[in-house]
């Protein structure tokens, strides 16, 4: 069975509805990661320890589904070992560690909004590397997103923002761009679940090794964490990070993309920004200023315009191979 095209998806309302539901669940799950990470950082956990625990728990949860999706084609693992390792190092370990460090210096919503400018970096890469010149709509969307970023950072009001946090957030943006670029490569033949499970496993192993040799500081406590004014055990945040904000988010996201197509799913996925802002407000009391809300809207509009300005085949769903929908 071949994967569904966008036209086929449009003719199946029930599949479209379930795709939207799964995409919203995935975005909300991803958006919860910042507040949960912030609660651990405030309790004395280091970013390295919290992100390593998150990645390894998610890898354990997705390992069996990833093996099942492989369907006995073990030669794919040997042939793509380098790709899986690079995916784990940059798209998983590097991106998440940078983001968790960023939320230690700035509000969660601001860090996530900076990270969400990654589609602009992808557009630039495709232009410079593959000669895919952006359209006028793409350039206009990038400009709108840039204005929104300035507003989100509240630079116009003269308020200060820790430059270390900005650098970490930009590093997370670069890692997210690598994630989009590598995930779009269908030529390696790896099923998405297998790539996700392998990447998470490699990323977790890299982070664990870096912590053991002292490259990444590891610190963890058994102190309770604070969320929404309530004291919770530390393991509640850790399990939430691994099971909900990583494993569940990836599984629902993959299922949504196969129902909606990558183009439409990417638009719905932008609701992660709104989810993160809402969770940061409800769980951490980080109320965004009006100018930041306006900037967030502009970033969303700009990123959508960038996506709409890309060629239609740039976001087509998988067109060959078995249907591995979950």
């Amino acid at each position: 069975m071949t994967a569904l095209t966008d036209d086929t998806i449009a003719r199946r309302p029930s599949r479209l509805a379930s795709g939207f539901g799964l995409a919203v669940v995935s975005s909300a799950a991803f958006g919860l990661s910042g507040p949960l990470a912030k609660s651990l950082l405030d309790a004395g956990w280091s970013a390295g320890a919290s992100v390593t625990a998150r990645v390894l728990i998610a890898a354990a949860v997705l390992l069996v589904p990833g093996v099942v999706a492989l369907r006995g084609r073990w030669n794919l693992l040997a042939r793509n070992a380098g790709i899986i390792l690079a995916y784990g190092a940059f798209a998983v370990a590097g991106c998440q560690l940078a983001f968790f460090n960023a939320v230690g210096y700035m509000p969660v919503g601001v860090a996530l909004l900076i990270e969400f400018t990654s589609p602009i970096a992808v557009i630039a890469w495709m232009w410079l590397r593959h000669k895919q010149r952006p359209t006028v709509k793409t350039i206009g969307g990038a400009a709108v997103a840039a204005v929104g970023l300035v507003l989100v950072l509240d630079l116009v009001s003269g308020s200060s923002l820790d430059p270390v946090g900005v650098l970490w957030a930009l590093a997370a943006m670069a890692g997210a761009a690598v994630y989009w670029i590598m995930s779009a490569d269908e030529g390696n033949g790896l099923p998405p679940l297998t790539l996700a499970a392998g990447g998470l496993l490699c990323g977790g192993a890299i982070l664990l090794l870096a912590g053991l040799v002292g490259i990444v500081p590891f610190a963890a406590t058994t102190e309770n964490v604070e969320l929404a004014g309530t004291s919770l055990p530390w393991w509640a945040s850790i399990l939430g990070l691994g099971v909900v904000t990583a494993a569940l988010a990836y599984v629902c996201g993959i299922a949504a993309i196969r129902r909606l197509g990558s183009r439409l799913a990417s638009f719905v996925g932008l609701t992660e920004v709104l989810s993160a802002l809402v969770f940061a407000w409800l769980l951490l009391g980080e109320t965004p200023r009006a100018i930041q809300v306006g900037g967030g809207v502009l970033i969303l509009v700009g990123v959508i315009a960038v996506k709409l300005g890309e060629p239609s085949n740039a976001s087509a769903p998988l067109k060959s191979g078995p249907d591995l929908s979950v």
Side-chain angles (χ1 to χ4, degrees):
M1 183 187 301
T2 56
L4 297 174
T5 64
D6 287 311
D7 291 338
T8 303
I9 292 172
R11 294 194 295 268
R12 298 181 61 176
S14 62
R15 189 172 178 85
L16 184 67
S18 65
F20 271 113
L22 287 165
V24 171
V25 170
S26 177
S27 296
F30 275 125
L32 182 60
S33 62
L36 290 179
K38 185 80 169 180
S39 71
L40 288 169
L41 295 177
D42 290 343
W45 283 66
S46 67
S50 56
V51 74
T52 300
R54 179 195 187 199
V55 171
L56 288 176
I57 291 173
V61 172
L62 293 180
L63 186 59
V64 172
V67 171
V68 172
L70 198 59
R71 296 182 178 179
R73 295 169 293 170
W74 302 108
N75 62 307
L76 288 177
L77 292 180
R79 193 167 70 219
N80 295 291
I83 292 175
I84 294 174
L85 181 61
Y87 191 89
F90 297 103
V92 176
C95 179
Q96 296 197 34
L97 180 60
F99 176 73
F100 277 39
N101 272 299
V103 300
Y105 291 91
M106 62 172 60
V108 170
V110 176
L112 192 63
L113 285 167
I114 294 175
E115 183 183 1
F116 256 69
T117 62
S118 59
I120 299 175
V122 173
I123 298 306
W125 169 261
M126 298 304 292
W127 185 7
L128 297 174
R129 180 67 176 82
H130 299 286
K131 310 302 180 184
Q132 295 183 8
R133 185 181 180 87
T135 64
V136 174
K137 187 179 293 185
T138 297
I139 296 174
V144 171
V147 173
L149 181 60
V150 172
L151 296 180
V152 167
L153 296 177
D154 204 7
L155 301 179
V156 295
S157 67
S159 62
S160 61
L161 196 67
D162 195 316
V164 175
V166 174
L167 290 176
W168 277 119
L170 290 174
M173 180 270 289
V178 172
Y179 163 78
W180 289 111
I181 293 169
M182 293 192 69
S183 296
D185 183 11
E186 303 173 27
N188 53 49
L190 285 170
L193 273 173
T194 305
L195 178 61
L200 286 165
L201 185 61
C202 289
I206 291 171
L207 288 169
L208 185 60
L209 179 61
L212 292 176
V213 300
I215 297 176
V216 176
F218 268 20
T221 71
T222 57
E223 298 293 330
N224 287 352
V225 299
E226 295 290 333
L227 282 171
T230 302
S231 180
L232 298 173
W234 61 272
W235 50 261
S237 285
I238 287 293
L239 287 179
L241 280 173
V243 177
V244 178
T245 77
L248 176 65
Y250 274 107
V251 170
C252 289
I254 292 170
I257 290 170
R258 287 175 179 164
R259 286 162 172 78
L260 302 177
S262 59
R263 185 184 182 91
L264 179 57
S266 67
F267 299 155
V268 183
L270 294 176
T271 58
E272 179 185 341
V273 176
L274 302 178
S275 298
L277 288 173
V278 171
F279 282 131
W281 172 42
L282 294 177
L283 300 179
L284 302 178
E286 295 180 356
T287 304
R289 291 183 287 274
I291 192 171
Q292 292 178 302
V293 174
V297 171
L298 286 180
I299 287 180
L300 291 177
V301 171
V303 172
I304 290 174
V306 168
K307 289 284 189 180
L308 290 175
E310 288 303 286
S312 59
N313 60 1
S315 58
L318 189 65
K319 295 185 181 299
S320 62
D323 185 357
L324 301 174
S325 298
V326 294

